[in-house]
Every structure is written in structure tokens, then in C-alpha cells.
Amino acid sequence: MTYDTIVEAGDGALITVPSGGRLRIIDLEGNQAVDTLLYDAHDIRHRYSAFDTIREQGAVYLTTGSRLLSDRLEELAVISADTCGRHDTVGGACAQESNVIRYGMHTRHQHACRQTFLAYGAPAGIGQRELGPNINFFMNVPVDAAGNLHFEDGLSAPGKYVEITASRDIHVLISNCPQLNNPCNGWNPTPVRLVGTW
């Protein structure tokens, strides 16, 4: 089976990828952030853990070969290809509430990734309690020696992609970030393409 779809900026997707299946996320225009969460398709309480993924591999950034671990230290997927070279998993997802704190009350009703996660996760039973720190594919969040992080212009470019291979049956929950208030999308959110093979 081949899965092929476009996710517009600010929209989302929920894809179930069987064990061994591959899902490629293509940054069509470059400099786009793709917020992503992973769940065991048979138990959504068994989910991606940014903390464990970083600690167990001793690397704060994700790239080819990174094992995407669960909160039970089990492998959900592996990054099997990557033409961008570095992805964030510490910057988190935007929410309407955090937008107000960071950018002002005028952003209260702007689209945000957390709300997209809830809308697209609902058919799989994914609610507030199942949301946790996520992966930000293509997003550039340098972390300095003091542990400070900054949102910077992206490292990606048109046509760059990252591909994950599922280590078990997984749900992949995506919010194609609509963030307009920091440079993670170059202040210009754009569509991405998802291509799956299984």
C-alpha cells in the first residue's frame, strides 16, 4: 500500500503505520516545522518520550539512526533517512495558551499545534492526557552550553525529507505547525507531503 497526501499549513493528520512500514515527511517549500507524536497503535498510553529518547542515546537532536523511544524505553520507530540532518525534540508544540504568554493576547485565537493534535487524535482516543513532548521535524532549536534554547531559522530547504520506519504498529499524529510568531516556519507556514509505504 502507498499513502500519499498533502497536509496544508495549520492542518494535521493521523496515520496508522504498521510494523516495518515507512513514512516520509517532505518539506515541500522549506523552513517548515512538522510537530509529531507517536503512539503504540494498540495502546495509546504507550507513547513517544522525548526525555527517554534524548537520555538513552546521549543526543539532544534527532537524525538518521535515532531510535524514537517510548516512556517504557521501547522502540516505536527509527529515523531511517534524513536529508535535513537535524531535528528538534525539546522545543515543544505551540498552544493557544503559550502563544498568549509568549506573544500577547492578540494571538489567543490563532491556530496552534496542541489544538490540531486534539482534533486529529480524537478518533484514536488521544486526548489531553495523552499529549506529551513531541518531535519537531525540520525545526531548528539550538541548545547552548548553559541549556538555553532558541528558535532559529530552519535548516531545511524545499524537497528535504525525513523518513521513519515503524518498529511496531504505530499511530503517527501530525500537526503541520501554523506558528506565525517565531522563525520556526520563517513566518510563512507552508504545506508538507506525507508518503507512506507498507
Side-chain angles (χ1 to χ4, degrees):
M1 174 182 171
T2 300
Y3 174 89
D4 192 340
T5 194
I6 301 292
V7 180
E8 298 294 336
D11 206 352
L14 176 69
I15 310 105
T16 302
V17 181
S19 179
R22 291 176 288 136
L23 181 67
R24 179 171 293 191
I25 304 169
I26 304 167
D27 189 359
L28 292 174
E29 298 184 32
N31 211 17
Q32 177 62 17
V34 183
D35 293 41
T36 304
L37 288 166
L38 307 176
Y39 299 85
D40 185 319
H42 305 288
D43 179 4
I44 60 170
R45 294 170 300 177
H46 187 200
R47 61 189 185 216
Y48 175 72
S49 169
F51 177 79
D52 292 306
T53 295
I54 292 169
R55 185 194 61 214
E56 291 298 309
Q57 295 170 99
V60 73
Y61 304 115
L62 306 176
T63 187
T64 305
S66 294
R67 301 169 62 228
L68 307 178
L69 302 178
S70 74
D71 48 4
R72 301 176 193 171
L73 298 182
E74 296 180 21
E75 188 177 284
L76 298 173
V78 175
I79 296 180
S80 47
D82 176 18
T83 61
C84 179
R86 192 174 89 180
H87 307 272
D88 167 67
T89 193
V90 296
C94 60
Q96 291 177 324
E97 295 79 5
S98 63
N99 284 343
V100 168
I101 292 169
R102 288 178 178 155
Y103 310 113
M105 187 57 77
H106 67 285
T107 65
R108 176 68 180 90
H109 298 290
Q110 291 181 353
H111 282 86
C113 287
R114 191 170 175 86
Q115 283 66 36
T116 303
F117 281 149
L118 291 172
Y120 277 87
I126 298 168
Q128 297 261 10
R129 299 178 74 162
E130 287 75 33
L131 298 186
N134 57 290
I135 301 166
N136 293 306
F137 285 122
F138 307 114
M139 197 161 100
N140 183 21
V141 184
V143 180
D144 66 25
N148 301 306
L149 55 91
H150 309 274
F151 297 106
E152 302 287 349
D153 277 342
L155 302 172
S156 188
K160 296 220 173 198
Y161 63 84
V162 61
E163 183 175 277
I164 63 171
T165 298
S167 304
R168 61 182 65 213
D169 299 343
I170 57 173
H171 292 314
V172 181
L173 181 58
I174 285 175
S175 170
N176 191 26
C177 186
Q179 185 56 258
L180 293 164
N181 304 293
N182 71 48
C184 72
N185 296 334
W187 289 280
N188 180 33
T190 53
V192 296
R193 182 181 177 193
L194 308 178
V195 178
T197 306
W198 50 84

